[in-house]
Amino acid sequence: MSHQNKPNILDTASQVRKGEELDIQAVTTWLKSQGLKLADNANETAKVTQYSGGASNWTYRLEYSSDHADQCHDLILRRPPKGTKAKSAHDMVREYQVQNALQSDYPYVPKMVALCTDESVLGCDFYVMERLEGIIPRANFPKSLALSAEQAETLCKNVLDAWIALHQIDTTDNAELSKLGKGEGYCERQIIGWDKRYAKAHTSNVPTFALVRDWLKDNIPADSKTCLIHNDWRLDNVVLDPSEPTKVIGVLDWEMATLGDPLMDLGSALAYWVQADDDPVTQQFRRQPTNVDGMMTRQQVVDYYLEKTGLQIDNWTFYEVYGLFRLAGIAQQIYYRYYHKQTDNPMFKDFWVVIHVLNAKCLALISQHEGAEFTATIKADLEHAGLNDELLSQLPAPVQGLVKMMVYS
């Protein structure tokens, strides 16, 4: 791939969103106080842009003009959204420390530059890291990047191999990483935790997930093992080499990393893995290009992961349903804010429709696993299943048909 084509495929930041402006003078002064070499006129020459998103932490690119190779000139700043009440929800210190602790053990972590806990600078904790120049596969690959089916399969395997390598890291002698976990019982803590979070975020226009939640609680397995897990593994959180687009050069967004069960990490990740034959609603909300020719199916991902790690699964349905329910919980927490007019971001307004589809997917998977008796339970008790007629009538007609088909087929 020629250098001339690179700007068309590189992940780029854009204009800073209104209300999310960054005090670059305060940041620059602080960076210099940390011993960073910046140009003398850095305040005047720094270019600040912002990456898309906004539902999670805010991410800025800081470009400092520099004529000297030893001066820092291309940096990334991460900070929580304004008005964040609980630091635990956007813990910049933890996110920085996890990545910093991984520097010598994991080659895909960006290089950390500095952590700021002095709220007089920006009014919040934040950290700065070196920018990785590369491609981030979002919902679709860049238009100028055309991967063959063979390249897409290679990319899949390379991304999975980078993930598996993370799960193999020995954390026992790493003080920062060892303190992340709470010991045995990770699977149970996740099910109980997401059960409570979903109930708290429930709105009247979405299903209760009652049957799904009950089934998950009744089928909690023992932890398969405990290791460092990313907890948000998606293709749009990896950075690819612009000269070799199937090669992983970085992994981003470590805010949810912890010590836990890798099979739960697998289930969580596959909830985002939309394949070519998935329904239209799921395709509409796809966040990564896992639907293109050559990409693995979810089952192929599971098979590849188990073959490479040697782990065994007695009940894969549990992990798959958990991943979908967890995704529903994340989406519902966001939609709850929109429903109660705490945000007017239009991208959230149809999340309630997705919640219905995720509930139907969970019920369909459980039915396939449990057999006719469970399916009969759903049909006999629509309200307990979270699919009563009143809720269904609120959905667009095509989605009503899709939900019924998933559950009753």
Side-chain angles (χ1 to χ4, degrees), residues 108-337:
Y108 307 110
V109 178
K111 184 178 179 181
M112 298 295 104
V113 173
L115 169 70
C116 180
T117 57
D118 180 358
E119 294 194 1
S120 68
V121 180
L122 288 184
C124 63
D125 296 339
F126 67 90
Y127 71 88
V128 175
M129 62 185 181
E130 291 186 359
R131 174 178 170 264
L132 284 172
E133 181 176 85
I135 306 162
I136 296 181
R138 302 197 183 275
N140 299 295
F141 286 115
K143 291 181 179 179
S144 56
L145 177 64
L147 296 184
S148 67
E150 291 75 18
Q151 287 176 311
E153 183 179 2
T154 299
L155 170 60
C156 262
K157 291 180 178 178
N158 288 342
V159 169
L160 293 175
D161 287 343
W163 191 20
I164 290 167
L166 175 68
H167 289 172
Q168 307 307 312
I169 292 175
D170 184 357
T171 61
T172 53
D173 294 328
N174 191 315
E176 285 297 330
L177 298 179
S178 295
K179 71 182 183 182
L180 293 175
K182 297 181 180 179
E184 290 294 319
Y186 179 83
C187 294
E188 182 176 12
R189 287 194 298 274
Q190 288 300 296
I191 298 304
I192 300 304
W194 281 108
D195 181 84
K196 291 179 179 178
R197 285 188 282 275
Y198 186 83
K200 187 176 181 180
H202 183 259
T203 52
S204 62
N205 58 344
V206 298
T208 63
F209 275 79
L211 277 180
V212 175
R213 291 157 61 192
D214 288 347
W215 185 86
L216 284 170
K217 284 183 277 190
D218 290 340
N219 287 271
I220 298 173
D223 295 353
S224 64
K225 60 177 283 190
T226 299
C227 66
L228 183 63
I229 62 176
H230 184 272
N231 236 349
D232 198 18
W233 192 272
R234 303 192 309 264
L235 267 69
D236 60 336
N237 277 338
V238 301
V239 184
L240 307 178
D241 187 334
S243 299
E244 191 178 344
T246 61
K247 179 182 178 182
V248 178
I249 60 172
V251 177
L252 307 174
D253 287 1
W254 292 83
E255 59 191 289
M256 292 192 284
T258 190
L259 293 181
D261 189 324
L263 296 183
M264 298 289 271
D265 206 17
L266 182 60
S268 296
L270 289 193
Y272 290 98
W273 197 279
V274 178
Q275 55 195 48
D277 60 352
D278 279 331
D279 63 89
V281 176
T282 300
Q283 295 285 355
Q284 184 179 349
F285 287 88
R286 175 173 48 80
R287 295 190 58 171
Q288 52 187 356
T290 46
N291 63 325
V292 303
D293 189 25
M295 283 285 182
M296 293 179 175
T297 64
R298 287 183 291 272
Q299 187 58 56
Q300 288 172 331
V301 171
V302 173
D303 293 342
Y304 185 90
Y305 182 89
L306 296 181
E307 180 184 356
K308 288 285 187 175
T309 62
L311 291 174
Q312 296 181 340
I313 298 177
D314 293 327
N315 179 6
W316 168 244
T317 300
F318 170 84
Y319 300 100
E320 191 169 13
V321 171
Y322 158 71
L324 293 170
F325 174 58
R326 175 181 179 269
L327 177 56
I330 293 170
Q332 181 60 22
Q333 286 178 319
I334 295 170
Y335 178 72
Y336 179 91
R337 292 170 51 218

Side-chain angles (χ1 to χ4, degrees), residues 1 7 16 31 56 136 164 193 233 265 314 349 363 365 370:
M1 182 175 295
V16 175
L31 284 172
S56 187
I136 296 181
I164 290 167
W233 192 272
D265 206 17
D314 293 327
K349 72 182 179 66
L363 291 170
L365 287 169
E370 295 290 346

